[in-house]
Each structure stands twice: as C-alpha cells, then as structure tokens.
Amino acid sequence: MNDSSQIIGYKPGNTFIYKINATAKMLFFILVTVACMISYDTRFLVAISIFSLVLFKISDIKWKQISFVMKFIVVFSLLNLLVVFLFDPSYGVRLYGSKTVIFGFLTWEELFYLFNLALKYFCTVPLALLFLLTTNPSQFASSLNSLGVSYRISYAVSLALRYIPDVQNDFNNIKISQQARGIDLSSKGNLITRIKKNVQLILPLIFSSLERIEKVSTAMELRRFGSRKKRTWYSYKPFKRNDYLVLALAISIVLITISLFWVNNGRFYNPFI
Amino acid sequence: MKIKRLTICAMMLAIIVVLGFFPPIPLGFIPVPIVIQNLGILLTGLLLRKGEAFTVVIVFLLMVAAGLPFLSGGRGGLTPFFGPSVGYLLAYPICAFLIAWAMEYVPKPNNLFTALIVTFLIGVLLLDGIGAIGMHINIKGMSLASAFKAQLAFIPGDTVKAVAASVVYSLLPLSIIDKK
C-alpha cells in the first residue's frame, strides 16, 4: 500500500558489503570520513571519491531508495559552496599564494578550493548512505557493545536507527492524510505560513511516535531486557578475513593522509607553485 | 521503568533525525537556513530528564560528526562544525540540558504557559544568541551587532516551534513526562 522504497533505512541485500561485520564497517566509515575531512590533497580526494562511488555501485542500492534525500544533499551542498564563495571570494588566493583572475573577483585558486570542498562531499556522502543502508541496526548495536559501549546505550542507538524508517513512514502517511483534507504543502505562501504548515504535520508525527514508547517499553520489559549486567547477541558476528582486510584498508588510508602532510608540507596540495 | 527511559531516549533521537529530513528554508542574506530540526532539540529538553536530554543530543552530534547525513539538508561530517552553523550545533546540548533542568523546578508540570516561557527563553533567545556568536566568529566581515541583528529572521519561526513544543508537552500523558 504505502510506497516505502524512499524510506532511508536498512534493507536486506546480498552483495558482499552486507556481509562485512558492522563493527568493521563503522570503523572504516569513521576513519575514512575523518581522513577526507582533514586532507585537501586533490589527488587523494579524487581517488577516494572514485572508490566511494564504485563501492556504492557495487552495493546494489537502488537510486530510487535514496533519491529523496539525495536531492536535498545536492541542493544544500551547492548552496554551501556558493555561500563559502560569496562570503570570502579571496580565500583561495591567500591559501595557495598566487592569483590567476578569470574575471572580476573570480580566480582559479578559489575555484580549485571549492572543487576540493565538492570532492569531500563525493567522498563522504556515498559512504554515509552505504553504511546506513547496508548495516542491520541489530548488528550495529552488537558492534557498539563489542567496542565497549554499555549494551543499554548500544541498544538505544540501534533502536533510534530502527525507528527512523518508522517515523518517516508515519510522516508520509500524515502528510498524505493532511493533503487529502486540503492542506497545501507547496512552496506558496510566506515564511510564517510555511512554518505553520510544517508544524501541522509535525505535531501528529510526534504524538504517534511517542505513543509507541509505552508499547515498546512494556514488550522489552516482558522479555527481561536489562535484567542482567551483560547479554548475548543473536546477530553477533565474529570477525573474518574480509573484516580484517577492511580495517587494514581503513588504516592504510589514514596513514596515506598523514604521509601526504609531509609530501605537501601541510594539508593542501598546491598546483599553483 | 529504566527501559521506558531508554525507549524514550531512542525515540527522541529518531525524532531529531527525522525532523532533519524536512528541507531547510534558506534565507538570502545569511548562510544559516531556517530549519525544523531544532524543534526536536526543544522537545528533547521538555520531555527528558536533564542528563538524558544532554546525552541524547550529544549522541546525535556524534553521529553527525561521524559523517551520517542527519543535519537538515543531509549535511554531516565535521564540516558543519567549522562553518557558520557551529554556534547552533554547540548550543543544542546546552539548551536541551537547561530546558530539562528548568522544567524540573517549575511548580506545575505540563503547564503550557510555563513550558512556553522556559522554551522561549532558553530554546529561542539563548540558542539564537549563541548561534549569533558562532556566526560572528566564522563569517569574516560580519560584526557581532549584525550577527545578532540577523537572528531576528529566526525569531518568528523559532517562536512558532517553541509554541508547538510546549503544546505537545502539555498534551502528553504524565507517564511519559517523568522528571523525577
């Protein structure tokens, strides 16, 4: 009945990425993301971008599943780049120590800097969606627990990840119902009107979400959750060869980033010297 | 009873994330858009205890910092923490904690007017104030005075959100609002 293909959340799949241990995936994701945020070496960022996109392609995630969120990511990434430029058009010039004017106050150095920023998006967004969509929340909870986080906190985080598709689904249902009753959700109207319309969707969304708490809590309690200091995990998976390879790859990427600091005498790769 | 607290915290975390899927409304003259997501922060402060509220928002920020695209507009990673929005992001856990703390001392729980005053003072004025400082520090050439002036664009929307959060709070059963 409801089209759930646009819901951002875990869906089972068969490619090898789904079979990698959730702990290894999480560590890989965090390490590579931090490395890409720190480095401004264009060659490194291009390589990671291609690697990210290839992984995404291999994972067999349907475009339709993410197109809703992807539209927002693209629009606001572009907006962010534009704003960075408008508020300091000469940052690239100071950064790279040379000035090559295209026209007006637009320079190749600034364009190059913005290109590096855009590459960071290409590096991290596919990996983030990949991690979100290919990791079972239960495995994620057992991952956090195996990293030393209390199992109650681990379980709360996995509950939140588990709830995200449900809340989105509720939101879609509420939105359709309200539109059937005449609410116009398009971009017409002034700022306050649009905010009020959003609030009319949000209030029932929050109430329907909070109503769930009593039922879920009682069900967990009836199954004796939290009655022991430790617990076993149905979805626990031990590390295998592929998981160690993934970790080794992540550590290699971080080491490459660090060594590029020496090669480039800093975070930036400067082709203008 | 501890299980219910755990479930409420998880649900509040999910609500904060899902409110981030609402598209931000960009304003032309400053690089910080109007977002619906901070309504989730206000609700977290109202519905949870102070320790829980602080922890939930910190976990949310950690998930964002780790790269998950949970900020409004699908932003994530470390970049937002070094941009003009950083003041708001750092203010989120502080404001959630302070709202939860203040609500523990009000004489009448789930009184709408009390919740509105607390939410407006902490969740709107204080949060926007800290956000203005963040904008001033991170936007070259923007004076502190013009950063504070720019907050006026957020006051009406944030006030609506404060009213919405207070209404939700006042309508919820007491079994969920369990401050002690």
Side-chain angles (χ1 to χ4, degrees), chain A residues 195-240:
Chain A
I195 291 178
K196 281 177 181 170
K197 285 169 184 168
N198 276 300
V199 168
Q200 279 177 293
L201 297 185
I202 290 164
L203 290 190
L205 174 67
I206 292 167
F207 283 121
S208 67
S209 302
L210 294 177
E211 269 173 21
R212 204 179 310 218
I213 287 170
E214 202 80 33
K215 292 177 196 150
V216 173
S217 306
T218 306
M220 287 167 66
E221 196 159 8
L222 286 173
R223 289 159 177 80
R224 294 182 61 78
F225 178 90
S227 59
R228 292 279 193 274
K229 280 212 177 83
K230 293 164 75 176
R231 60 164 282 178
T232 57
W233 293 93
Y234 171 81
S235 57
Y236 173 75
K237 287 162 67 179
F239 269 60
K240 293 172 185 156

Side-chain angles (χ1 to χ4, degrees), chain A residues 8-24:
Chain A
I8 294 292
Y10 170 73
K11 285 189 170 73
N14 292 317
T15 60
F16 79 95
I17 293 178
Y18 289 87
K19 297 180 171 62
I20 297 174
N21 187 289
T23 308

Side-chain angles (χ1 to χ4, degrees), chain A residues 29-30 33 37 72-73 76 79 83 87-88 94 128-129 131-132 152 155-157 159-161 163-164 167-168 171 191-192 194-195 198-199 202-203 206-207 209-210 212-214 216-217 220-221 225, chain B residues 1 3-4 6-8 10-15 17-19 21-26 31 34 36 39 43 47 63 66-70 73-74 78-79 139-140 156-157 160 164 168 171-172 175-176:
Chain A
F29 168 64
I30 291 176
T33 300
M37 282 300 129
F72 291 132
I73 292 177
F76 287 99
L79 203 64
V83 164
F87 274 85
D88 197 354
R94 295 198 303 276
L129 292 175
F131 177 70
L132 260 185
R152 290 180 184 80
Y155 200 74
V157 173
L159 264 186
L161 292 177
Y163 283 147
I164 288 170
V167 177
Q168 285 178 80
F171 172 69
L191 202 60
I192 300 299
R194 290 175 63 188
I195 291 178
N198 276 300
V199 168
I202 290 164
L203 290 190
I206 292 167
F207 283 121
S209 302
L210 294 177
R212 204 179 310 218
I213 287 170
E214 202 80 33
V216 173
S217 306
M220 287 167 66
E221 196 159 8
F225 178 90
Chain B
M1 194 50 66
I3 296 178
K4 181 184 288 184
L6 186 111
T7 311
I8 289 179
M11 182 57 77
M12 292 315 302
L13 181 51
I15 288 175
V17 169
V18 172
L19 292 181
F21 292 152
F22 283 71
I25 302 170
I34 289 183
I36 299 295
L39 171 59
L43 277 170
L47 299 182
M63 291 166 79
L68 296 176
F70 286 160
L78 296 174
T79 305
I139 299 176
K140 298 175 182 66
V160 173
V168 170
L171 292 177
L172 285 172
S175 62
I176 291 184

Side-chain angles (χ1 to χ4, degrees), chain A residues 145-158:
Chain A
N145 195 211
S146 67
L147 291 179
V149 178
S150 151
Y151 79 82
R152 290 180 184 80
I153 294 177
S154 307
Y155 200 74
V157 173
S158 82

